[in-house]
Amino acid sequence: RPEFELYDVLSDPLELTNIAHDPQNGKILADLQLRLQGWMQRQGDAGVATELSALERQGKGKKRNQAK
């Protein structure tokens, strides 16, 4: 999957054409990234670090003991 995805759902309702890297949409993408960063900060979400921490708490990030 691409790092960023942006679609014009009015002209592309099936979201087939990712327009995230079209220079015309730079301001829209930048605005959405700022909004996402603000939301993540308010939620205490550190991105990948939060995901890895959740896996560790669930025991999914640890190697399983071979001698059960």
Side-chain angles (χ1 to χ4, degrees):
R1 298 190 77 153
E3 182 178 10
F4 300 109
E5 295 182 56
L6 181 66
Y7 300 94
D8 180 346
V9 295
L10 296 178
S11 66
D12 181 17
L14 298 178
E15 299 177 353
L16 299 174
T17 304
N18 182 3
I19 59 173
H21 297 292
D22 184 331
Q24 285 184 313
N25 299 315
K27 288 183 180 181
I28 294 170
L29 191 60
D31 178 56
L32 291 171
Q33 288 173 321
L34 283 174
R35 290 180 186 209
L36 176 60
Q37 289 171 354
W39 181 86
M40 288 175 67
Q41 187 175 25
R42 290 190 302 276
Q43 302 305 312
D45 188 336
V48 173
T50 299
E51 297 297 321
L52 294 175
S53 175
L55 289 174
E56 287 294 322
R57 287 192 307 275
Q58 295 171 7
K60 295 177 182 176
K62 299 177 183 174
K63 291 184 179 180
R64 296 180 187 247
N65 186 351
Q66 303 254 350
K68 287 185 178 179

